[in-house]
Amino acid sequence: QVQLVESGGGLVQTGGSLRLSCEASGTTSSVTTMAWYRQVPGKQRDMVATIASGGSTNYADSVKGRFTISRDNAKNTVYLQMNSLKPEDTAVYYCYARRFASYYWGQGIQVTVSS
């Protein structure tokens, strides 16, 4: 089992920045892809950014150039640096981790961008 705990969310004005962190614990060996997803009420959970164990990254078109995903394998932590935030970035952000055929989610953290 892998447990994921997010931190760093909150309220920010348009154009501001936030940095989300997600620390993994438990059986973290062989965790490969880690990612951030987000969800607004009534809509599906969408991928924001992914990062492989080797460091390759992938981003949703809506956040390219504004968000940066990174990970510290020694700390079992993945980060999401969010710059130039827009009201449409408002959502609950979830951390994701994959280990072999299993995948895990954090509890989610609210990010609200005021206009």
Side-chain angles (χ1 to χ4, degrees):
Q1 292 288 332
V2 176
Q3 293 80 45
L4 301 171
V5 178
E6 300 103 337
S7 61
L11 174 65
V12 65
Q13 291 185 335
T14 296
S17 298
L18 281 175
R19 188 194 196 206
L20 303 183
S21 300
C22 171
E23 182 175 2
S25 61
T27 309
T28 58
S29 62
S30 300
V31 167
T32 53
T33 298
M34 298 190 77
W36 290 95
Y37 283 71
R38 65 188 181 187
Q39 187 172 25
V40 297
K43 294 191 175 182
Q44 68 180 21
R45 191 172 296 184
D46 293 326
M47 185 276 290
V48 175
T50 69
I51 185 165
S53 55
S56 60
T57 59
N58 185 41
Y59 295 91
D61 287 343
S62 60
V63 307
K64 283 180 181 177
R66 300 188 298 122
F67 290 10
T68 302
I69 190 170
S70 61
R71 67 192 285 175
D72 184 333
N73 291 329
K75 295 182 178 179
N76 295 315
T77 300
V78 63
Y79 305 96
L80 186 68
Q81 177 66 44
M82 304 185 292
N83 298 328
S84 302
L85 282 160
K86 305 175 181 180
E88 51 264 43
D89 295 317
T90 295
V92 177
Y93 283 71
Y94 294 90
C95 181
Y96 164 102
R98 185 178 183 96
R99 182 177 184 273
F100 298 119
S102 300
Y103 56 92
Y104 305 89
W105 295 99
Q107 79 284 0
I109 192 164
Q110 179 70 44
V111 171
T112 303
V113 184
S114 63
S115 57

